[in-house]
Amino acid sequence: MRSFEMLSVIFNILLLGWLLFAKNKPQRGLIFGFGVSAILVLMHGLMEGMRWQMIPNDLIMLIPLVVFAVRFNPKSKEETKKGSTSPARLVLLTIPAVLYTFAAVALPLLLPVFSFEKPTGPYKIGTVTYAWKDNGREETYTPESGDKRELMVQIWYPADSTAKGDPAPYVSDPSIFANGYSMALHMPKLLFTSIGFVQTNAIENAEISNQESDYPVLIFSHSLNGVKNQNTFQIEQFVSHGYIVVGIDHTYNSTTSIFPDGRVVHFVPQERNTIDYLDKLNEGWVEDAKFVLDQVEKLAENDPDHRFTDRMDLKNIGMFGHSFGGATTTQMLMTDTRIQAAINMDGGLYGKLRVPADGLKKPFLMMSADDTLAGTKNMSDANIASQGTTREELTKFFDDTFARYESVAAGGNYWMTIKNMKHMGFSDTYLISPLYERMEGVKIKKVHRLINEFSLDFFDHYLKQQPFKRLDQSIGDHPEFTLQKG
């Protein structure tokens, strides 16, 4: 809970307890209780923003007024006096009060306004968003001929130490994104409205830091039905340590993309979930990444806003991605000479090319969730049936996918398997509610620190030529992960 929310909840619980159990409730005390409660509710509304999860708590402030009206109404004074000390009456009042208090506390705790941990690096973080059109490619998702491929792209960069400004919001339009998450996760929209109050550690349009002459560049590709900023926990950590990160929304395959002219594009469900189809789909994502990298080069050469001109180290470009974005990352490492090193986070190796038996010949780190590698072993029949397939068909799909992993660590590369981990633990998703952590068994903030530690160590070594701090020293089996090197 946020600060004023927490103060309001604590005071209202104490107020409710006083109203229930205090024998004497003077007029002045009732007015004081209402006044303080109302001020705290008003403060959290003005300073932090009202949200529906706080309604049960906020309504408690009205109870002193109700008690005041009843106790100091001449017609009801005698009745109140007769029944005020009845143990049965007290029990009847206490039970619903406890249940109501539980709801008042549980709702904001289970559907919180989550926060991102403060990055550990020395740099502040700036961010800017672009809408780019690839005039060389037709958009295949629209019926109109002549439509060109358009992408929303967000860039995060090391900001000047004197940079000031309000923290950038996690999403630009809360209602639209809540609707997108609702459709993506097949859950009510109301469960995602708090995401509109989430703030990041970035400052929009901040001045770029002059501490270094230029900064290595990392391209990020999200999961199928993900978004460009879905790994903010990781992106901000990279940037705070001196990287420029470029996040891509793969339009029509992202949860939601909002363009400057107000157009909203939600995820288009995929008709077929076969390896052949995913291989073909990935080719379009690779073209997206190549186009974005072309645009990045233009910014580095001549940024109209004079922010990135000569500030991007184009000799040291890396890429990382989650799930289908991880597959795109691997393909980019194999097909684009500009990508020097890459991290695939729990992505199947879909795309045009296979990993050669003797390895990728470029630095590569594969990160996997142990639950993903278990295939259908941990999946219930109901879960499989909900995907419109059978256990036999899905098992074959996983077996064919995992067969492509055989050489990911060959040639001196790395493969980390994180224990007690699920696929979506590689993104911000589980931060939305502690229920995810409870149901999925993933200690999400601890896992995020582990991911950040090793992914930063990987890119620091290969893009900044710094000695390894953890990666090479951690080969083997550990309580939290297993790391192998080819």
Side-chain angles (χ1 to χ4, degrees):
M1 275 186 276
R2 297 171 292 176
S3 298
F4 282 107
E5 287 183 352
M6 188 176 299
L7 287 173
S8 179
V9 167
I10 291 172
F11 180 82
N12 282 351
I13 290 173
L14 295 174
L15 175 62
L16 194 57
W18 177 73
L19 291 169
L20 278 174
F21 300 110
K23 292 182 179 181
N24 297 314
K25 291 181 275 289
Q27 179 179 356
R28 183 178 298 178
L30 292 171
I31 295 174
F32 176 80
F34 164 75
V36 173
S37 180
I39 289 172
L40 290 173
V41 169
L42 181 64
M43 290 300 293
H44 96 70
L46 292 175
M47 302 294 292
E48 300 168 334
M50 303 291 286
R51 59 192 187 106
W52 71 265
Q53 293 88 346
M54 291 295 294
I55 290 176
N57 169 76
D58 296 345
L59 290 177
I60 292 176
M61 73 175 177
L62 300 177
I63 298 178
L65 292 184
V66 174
V67 175
F68 180 88
V70 171
R71 288 200 63 188
F72 295 97
N73 183 341
K75 293 182 180 181
S76 60
K77 271 187 176 182
E78 191 62 31
E79 293 180 8
T80 303
K81 185 178 180 182
K82 290 179 181 178
S84 60
T85 58
S86 168
R89 182 187 178 97
L90 186 60
V91 170
L92 289 175
L93 288 173
T94 301
I95 292 175
V98 170
L99 293 175
Y100 190 86
T101 302
F102 177 79
V105 175
L107 277 175
L109 284 177
L110 296 179
L111 297 171
V113 177
F114 68 85
S115 60
F116 294 101
E117 292 188 340
K118 184 175 176 59
T120 62
Y123 293 96
K124 287 188 175 182
I125 300 166
T127 187
V128 64
T129 302
Y130 298 90
W132 287 337
K133 180 185 290 186
D134 187 351
N135 291 312
R137 277 196 298 160
E138 295 287 320
E139 180 54 79
T140 60
Y141 283 93
T142 58
E144 294 81 8
S145 61
D147 284 350
K148 301 301 180 183
R149 182 70 168 161
E150 295 181 75
L151 302 171
M152 290 302 300
V153 173
Q154 186 170 358
I155 299 181
W156 297 261
Y157 53 92
D160 190 86
S161 60
T162 61
K164 295 181 180 179
D166 294 331
Y170 186 53
V171 296
S172 57
D173 193 310
S175 179
I176 292 173
F177 274 93
N179 191 45
Y181 281 108
S182 171
M183 292 187 292
L185 298 174
H186 308 290
M187 299 172 74
K189 179 180 177 179
L190 273 177
L191 299 180
F192 303 99
T193 53
S194 289
I195 203 168
F197 297 100
V198 176
Q199 296 179 328
T200 68
N201 292 296
I203 301 170
E204 290 180 319
N205 301 309
E207 291 292 325
I208 192 169
S209 173
N210 290 319
Q211 189 166 332
E212 301 289 341
S213 59
D214 55 21
Y215 300 95
V217 176
L218 300 175
I219 309 296
F220 174 69
S221 180
H222 60 70
S223 59
L224 195 60
N225 207 349
V227 286
K228 61 184 179 296
N229 62 325
Q230 67 164 54
N231 279 50
T232 294
F233 83 91
Q234 185 179 28
I235 290 169
E236 291 189 338
Q237 180 73 344
F238 281 135
V239 176
S240 77
H241 285 270
Y243 290 88
I244 294 174
V245 179
V246 182
I248 309 168
D249 258 353
H250 297 279
T251 317
Y252 297 97
N253 298 144
S254 64
T255 304
T256 300
S257 294
I258 303 178
F259 290 91
D261 61 4
R263 282 176 298 135
V264 177
V265 179
H266 289 303
F267 176 75
V268 175
Q270 308 304 299
E271 296 180 1
R272 301 179 303 278
N273 195 25
T274 65
I275 287 183
D276 290 341
Y277 175 72
L278 294 174
D279 283 344
K280 185 64 178 176
L281 178 65
N282 189 257
E283 293 178 23
W285 284 44
V286 170
E287 290 303 312
D288 285 350
K290 289 180 181 291
F291 165 71
V292 166
L293 197 43
D294 291 341
Q295 296 301 109
V296 166
E297 289 181 327
K298 292 178 182 179
L299 273 182
E301 182 179 351
N302 183 23
D303 181 359
D305 296 325
H306 311 291
R307 180 179 291 110
F308 297 117
T309 304
D310 297 327
R311 305 306 306 275
M312 294 176 164
D313 181 2
L314 299 182
K315 293 182 180 179
N316 288 290
I317 302 176
M319 186 167 176
F320 64 111
H322 171 232
S323 192
F324 206 67
T328 305
T329 296
T330 308
Q331 291 293 315
M332 283 289 289
L333 188 67
M334 290 191 281
T335 60
D336 196 309
T337 57
R338 294 172 291 185
I339 303 297
Q340 301 299 311
I343 299 175
N344 178 337
M345 293 179 289
D346 217 37
L349 300 177
Y350 308 116
K352 184 181 294 186
L353 301 179
R354 306 280 75 79
V355 176
D358 56 349
L360 290 164
K361 302 295 190 294
K362 286 182 179 180
F364 181 69
L365 170 60
M366 182 77 186
M367 288 183 168
S368 298
D370 60 350
D371 183 72
T372 300
L373 297 181
T376 59
K377 293 177 183 177
N378 296 337
M379 299 177 70
S380 67
D381 292 338
N383 189 357
I384 292 173
S386 69
Q387 301 182 40
T389 186
T390 66
R391 184 173 293 274
E392 291 73 20
E393 290 174 342
L394 195 56
T395 297
K396 185 179 185 307
F397 174 82
F398 277 121
D399 288 344
D400 292 343
T401 297
F402 296 152
R404 298 180 173 187
Y405 285 37
E406 185 177 352
S407 302
V408 293
N413 282 325
Y414 303 88
W415 188 359
M416 170 183 276
T417 300
I418 301 178
K419 299 176 182 179
N420 301 313
M421 180 62 160
K422 299 290 181 69
H423 183 65
M424 296 308 295
F426 287 96
S427 71
D428 299 334
T429 303
Y430 290 168
L431 293 173
I432 293 174
S433 172
L435 284 175
Y436 279 119
E437 189 166 358
R438 187 75 174 176
M439 293 186 299
E440 302 294 348
V442 178
K443 297 179 179 178
I444 194 61
K445 292 202 173 182
K446 187 175 182 180
V447 163
H448 282 175
R449 293 186 201 110
L450 181 71
I451 293 170
N452 283 343
E453 184 178 2
F454 279 86
S455 55
L456 182 63
D457 194 37
F458 174 83
F459 283 129
D460 277 351
H461 180 76
Y462 289 110
L463 300 184
K464 291 187 174 184
Q465 294 72 53
Q466 295 180 6
F468 280 127
K469 296 178 181 177
R470 284 296 306 274
L471 203 60
D472 256 7
Q473 296 90 328
S474 302
I475 307 301
D477 186 51
H478 303 270
E480 298 174 345
F481 64 91
T482 298
L483 180 63
Q484 51 184 298
K485 182 177 182 180

